[in-house]
Amino acid sequence: MTRGLLIAFMLSFGPTVSNSFARFAYALVLPAMRTDLQLDWSSAGWLNTANAIGYLGGALLARMLVRRTGNRVLFASGMVITAVALAATGLVRDVGALTVMRGLSGVGGAMVFVCGGALSGNVFPGQPARATTTIAIFFAGGGIGLMLCGVAVPLLLEAYGDTAWPLAWQAMGVASLAMAAAATWAAWNIEEPGAAPGSADWRLAPFVPQFLAYVCFGLGYIGYMTFVIAWMRVNGAGTGMVIAVWTVLGAATLAAPAVWAGPCERWRGGRPLAAVMAVLSAGAMLPMASLHPAALLASATLFGLAMFSAPSAVSSLIKHLLPKPAWGSAMATFTVAFAASQIVGPVATGWVADRFGSLRPGLTASAAVLLLGALLALAQRDPRPRPR
């Protein structure tokens, strides 16, 4: 039991690297990069869209290769690709070269997220009832990275100025290489889900409401995670407030398994994802309603509690309704849709900000899309017979 939980924890370094460092830390570094490189909002959004495009490519690659190579090989490869790309991001200044590095970190990140999600449900292969807990632990690992970079990056930039942003990427790259070693060890101590008996074939049609809701998740959450720190900065938030918000966001992510493991296990159909997305929408709207520190901290709490719980809810539904050999392919399919949708979010939010002279309209639209996703998820049915 203890060893299995340790393996799940080590595996959770995957989202730390693939999501917290490779994608979300960009929000912390963005104000310095924008000042130093003289980027407009559209260009700033484009660099996170490049990461999302790479993420789409990585998800498609994982979907094509997972049956042939298995989840463990792709997971380990993705960890190394992401770590190297992060370090290399701090070695270039040209927007074209930055685009390539952001794209590569997305490719590796998708491989980590897709295959790690499948592996996390098989930490206790003989005890399927524990899968919801280990899946939640895996996705909550993103909170570790959020807290680490949430403290370190703002302090680094405050101490050395906006021109120090390359050091932030280099430091995250080095840390990621160490985490890659630990997470790879964990992956190799998990039985390959594809080796289990049963068919790897599955149909998307019964999952359409959950699928569309997950598209809304990709569209909506990424606007907040890309621009919320910039929104705070342009409205006068200091380094201390930025650290507090990002730390609370990470801490709430770590607490999320305790909140959502039960609902994801007991609630049927799309209700877990609907609840998660309603909480996300509320968290995204708060900074638009008020910039008071209490509102910002409440926003971070709600968003942190729900952000990684959306993929966790999807993984749990797949685990309940499909045989183990189909898990990797199904997760990859959902991740492809998610990746495609999050391509639009950053550049669209940045484009709207350039046109209206404010981030408010785009960030408000992101919250509305998340609420739409919550309504769509409610339509997801669970074909299993109800327990008597």
Side-chain angles (χ1 to χ4, degrees), residues 207-215 269-270 273 313-314 317 334 376-377 380:
F207 295 90
V208 165
Q210 190 93 340
F211 185 83
L212 294 176
Y214 206 44
V215 168
L273 184 60
V314 169
L317 186 72
F334 272 82
L376 289 169
Q380 176 64 49

Side-chain angles (χ1 to χ4, degrees), residues 70-349:
N71 290 280
R72 294 180 295 189
V73 171
L74 289 177
F75 177 85
S77 302
M79 288 292 290
V80 173
I81 291 169
T82 307
V84 171
L86 282 170
T89 302
L91 301 177
V92 297
R93 291 180 58 85
D94 177 72
V95 172
L98 286 168
T99 297
V100 172
M101 293 304 106
R102 296 292 295 149
L104 284 175
S105 68
V107 171
M111 294 163 64
V112 168
F113 209 64
V114 169
C115 299
L119 289 168
S120 68
N122 210 38
V123 174
F124 295 102
Q127 300 173 280
R130 297 190 184 277
T132 299
T133 298
T134 53
I135 289 170
I137 291 172
F138 173 75
F139 289 116
I144 298 170
L146 288 171
M147 295 177 74
L148 286 173
C149 61
V151 173
V153 171
L155 290 177
L156 173 70
L157 296 176
E158 184 176 49
Y160 296 101
D162 291 335
T163 57
W165 62 264
L167 294 176
W169 291 115
Q170 292 166 21
M172 285 186 281
V174 172
S176 296
L177 285 170
M179 291 182 179
T184 298
W185 171 85
W188 246 259
N189 279 276
I190 299 173
E191 182 181 310
E192 181 63 52
S199 173
D201 296 327
W202 66 286
R203 294 188 310 113
L204 179 61
F207 295 90
V208 165
Q210 190 93 340
F211 185 83
L212 294 176
Y214 206 44
V215 168
C216 290
F217 171 64
L219 283 169
Y221 97 101
I222 193 65
Y224 178 96
M225 289 302 295
T226 300
F227 289 112
V228 67
I229 297 301
W231 170 251
M232 290 169 55
R233 286 292 200 186
V234 298
N235 284 282
T239 299
M241 195 65 226
V242 169
I243 291 173
V245 164
W246 217 250
T247 301
V248 167
L249 185 74
T253 300
L254 289 173
V259 175
W260 296 106
C264 284
E265 182 64 32
R266 296 190 303 270
W267 294 0
R268 300 174 64 83
R271 289 171 61 198
L273 184 60
V276 164
M277 294 191 65
V279 172
L280 282 170
S281 179
M285 274 304 301
L286 275 174
M288 302 302 100
S290 173
L291 287 162
H292 189 278
L296 295 175
L297 293 173
S299 168
T301 301
L302 292 173
F303 217 87
L305 283 174
M307 179 171 56
F308 283 102
S309 300
S312 181
V314 169
S315 294
S316 292
L317 186 72
I318 288 170
K319 182 211 72 171
H320 285 312
L321 301 185
L322 295 177
K324 285 184 181 181
W327 288 0
S329 175
M331 273 302 299
T333 299
F334 272 82
T335 304
V336 165
F338 162 74
S341 61
Q342 72 173 357
I343 287 172
V344 179
V347 72
T349 304

Side-chain angles (χ1 to χ4, degrees), residues 19-108:
N19 292 68
S20 297
F21 289 172
R23 190 184 312 156
F24 301 143
Y26 179 69
L28 295 166
V29 188
L30 172 58
M33 291 180 69
R34 186 167 177 259
T35 299
D36 187 41
L37 300 177
Q38 298 184 324
L39 302 174
D40 59 20
W41 287 119
S42 296
S43 298
W46 163 250
L47 287 176
N48 227 23
T49 290
N51 178 264
I53 292 172
Y55 199 87
L56 173 60
L60 289 168
L61 189 65
R63 191 176 189 278
M64 288 189 295
L65 297 179
V66 68
R67 293 188 187 183
R68 185 184 312 166
T69 66
N71 290 280
R72 294 180 295 189
V73 171
L74 289 177
F75 177 85
S77 302
M79 288 292 290
V80 173
I81 291 169
T82 307
V84 171
L86 282 170
T89 302
L91 301 177
V92 297
R93 291 180 58 85
D94 177 72
V95 172
L98 286 168
T99 297
V100 172
M101 293 304 106
R102 296 292 295 149
L104 284 175
S105 68
V107 171

